Amino acid sequence: MTAMSTMASEYELLTPETVASYIATNPTLAELVDASTLEVAEVGDGNLNLVFLCQDADGRGICLKQALPYVRLVGESWPLTPQRVLAESRSLSVAAAVVPHLVPAYYGTDEDRYVLAMENLFGWEIWRSKLNRGEIHRGVGALLGEYVANLAFSTSLFALDQMEVKQQTAQAINPELCRITEELVFTEPYIEHDNNSFVDELAPEVAALRSDACLRSEVGLLKHRFMTAAEALIHGDLHTGSVMVRSTDGRGDARVIDPEFCYYGPVGFDLGALIGNYLLARGRAAVLYRGAEYCEWVAGLAEETWNAFEANMRRLWPTRVDQTWTDGFLDAWLQQVARDALGFGGCKAIRRIIGLAKVSDIETLPPDEHLRAATMVLRTANTWIKERQQLGGVSAANEVFLEVEAAVMQND
Ligand code: SR1
Ligand code: MG
C-alpha cells in the first residue's frame, strides 16, 4: 500500500440503506431532497467507485459517489487512495465555471467520508451503452470538443499567469491515478502481465504489436509525454463511459462525468481518449451495423470532436493573456495536439483490447465478430501511433480504419 492510501476500515462506506440518514444529517444535501421519502439504488458499474442514485417522492434527485479505498474491479488486494474524490471535485468545480452546460451540477464533497454529491441526471444514459445499441446522437462529438477546448484554455498558460498555473499544477497532482494510466495504458499491453487477457485467436496480433520495435518506442514517447507535458488541467479518463447523453428533437446533449483521473497533462490525451473510444465503437459498428447510417455517423465522430476543439480554441485565442503565444504558435500547437490525439487514441484503444478493464463495445460481440473488430482496432491503432506525424491530422483517422477494415473483411 502506498502512503496516500486509506484502508477500508478508516471510514464508513455507504449502503442503499444508510444513504437517507447520511443525507438527513447533511444540511446542504437535506435541502435538495426529502430524505424521509428517498428511494436509493447503487448503480456503480465503473471500475472504481460506489454510485448511489436517489429520488424523493416529489421527484427531486441527487447522485452520491463514494470512493472505495481500493479498485472495485479487482477488490481489496488493489488499494487506491479515496482522495481521488477530491481530484474529481476540483475538476467539477472548474468545469462548472467554464462549461456549466456540459457537466452535472456539483453540490459538494464530504472529505471525511470521500463522498461527492452531484445532480442526478434523470433520463440520461452512459454514451457507451447507447453506442452499443447503434443509437445516433447528433452533435455530441462537437460538445466534447468544446468541453476539452474550454477546460484546456481556461486552466493553461493561455488564460492564467505563470504563478497561477504552477500553483494549480501542484494542487492538481494525482500520482496514484496517473500511475494506473501509465501502467495500464502504456506499459502492460506490450509485455506479458497478469492483468492482460485476450482470446487465443488474437495472440498473433498481440505478438506482432509486442515485437514491433518502432511501435514500442513511439508508445514510450507517448508515455513520457503523458508523464511530463503539464499543459492544462485535463479530465484524464474521457472515454465514452465518462459521458452521459440524451437527445431532444434529434439533437444530442452531453454531460461529462468521472474526472477523478484529472491532473495537469497533455491536452491531446483527452481528445485521444475520445478518439480511441470512437475507434472501439467503430470496430463494433463495422461488424454489426455495416453500411447503416449509424456507421457513417460513428466514422465522423473523431473529426467532429476535433473540429469543435479547434474552433473553440481559435474563438478563445484573442483573449489569451500572453502575446508570446502568437497566431503562428497556435497553428503549430494545434498540430502537436492533433498528433498527440492520434497517438494517445491508439494507446487507449489497444489497452481496452489487451489489458485490464475491457469495454462492452468489444466484449459483448459474438466470437467471430469479436475477433474481427478487435483486429481492426489493434491494426488501426498501431498505424495511428506510428504514423501520427505524417497522417496530417485527425481527419486521417477514419481513412486508416477504412483500409484496415477492407483488409480484415477480405481475409474472412
Ligand atoms: C484499475 S482502474 C481501470 C480503469 O478504470 C478507469 O475507468 C480507468 O480507465 C482505468 O484505467
Ligand atoms: Mg471512470
Side-chain angles (χ1 to χ4, degrees), residues 31-210:
E31 290 244 315
L32 296 167
V33 285
D34 176 2
S36 70
T37 65
L38 215 56
E39 287 194 12
V40 182
E42 201 282 308
V43 298
D45 62 353
N47 299 320
L48 299 178
N49 306 297
L50 298 171
V51 179
F52 299 93
L53 291 183
C54 315
Q55 184 174 16
D56 69 15
D58 294 331
R60 295 186 302 164
I62 192 170
C63 172
L64 298 185
K65 177 170 174 179
Q66 186 174 35
L68 290 162
Y70 53 84
V71 173
R72 183 175 186 164
L73 175 70
V74 175
E76 294 186 39
S77 61
W78 188 337
L80 184 63
T81 175
Q83 292 187 16
R84 60 188 185 270
V85 100
L86 308 183
E88 180 154 350
S89 64
R90 173 178 296 109
S91 174
L92 278 179
S93 303
V94 172
V98 297
V99 278
H101 56 298
L102 295 175
V103 286
Y106 168 58
Y107 301 141
T109 300
D110 173 349
E111 300 189 9
D112 298 322
R113 302 269 300 266
Y114 304 105
V115 177
L116 184 149
M118 64 189 140
E119 181 182 1
N120 183 338
L121 292 166
F122 294 116
W124 298 69
E125 192 179 351
I126 292 289
W127 195 16
R128 192 186 301 286
S129 308
K130 289 177 169 289
L131 289 164
N132 284 348
R133 295 199 299 270
E135 281 185 26
I136 295 174
H137 292 274
R138 297 197 188 281
V140 167
L143 292 174
L144 298 174
E146 179 187 345
Y147 169 90
V148 176
N150 280 272
L151 197 66
F153 188 90
S154 64
T155 61
S156 73
L157 288 165
F158 305 146
L160 305 174
D161 76 46
Q162 63 91 359
M163 285 294 268
E164 180 69 9
V165 169
K166 284 175 169 54
Q167 278 163 5
Q168 294 295 330
T169 305
Q171 280 170 17
I173 191 167
N174 199 359
E176 280 196 53
L177 280 285
C178 282
R179 186 173 56 196
I180 288 177
T181 304
E182 290 153 16
E183 293 177 352
L184 267 57
V185 175
F186 297 108
T187 297
E188 292 176 8
Y190 305 94
I191 57 174
E192 293 283 344
H193 197 285
D194 285 349
N195 281 339
N196 295 330
S197 61
F198 44 85
V199 293
D200 290 345
E201 293 81 356
L202 212 53
E205 296 289 333
V206 175
L209 291 188
R210 289 178 177 168

Side-chain angles (χ1 to χ4, degrees), residues 251-274:
R251 205 66 211 154
D253 202 356
R255 297 288 182 272
V256 174
I257 60 169
D258 278 3
E260 66 209 308
F261 282 77
C262 72
Y263 79 114
Y264 265 72
V267 172
F269 188 75
D270 278 353
L271 294 165
L274 289 166

Side-chain angles (χ1 to χ4, degrees), residues 339-352:
R339 287 193 287 266
D340 282 354
L342 280 175
F344 289 132
C347 295
K348 295 284 271 183
I350 288 171
R351 64 76 60 108
R352 297 294 185 189

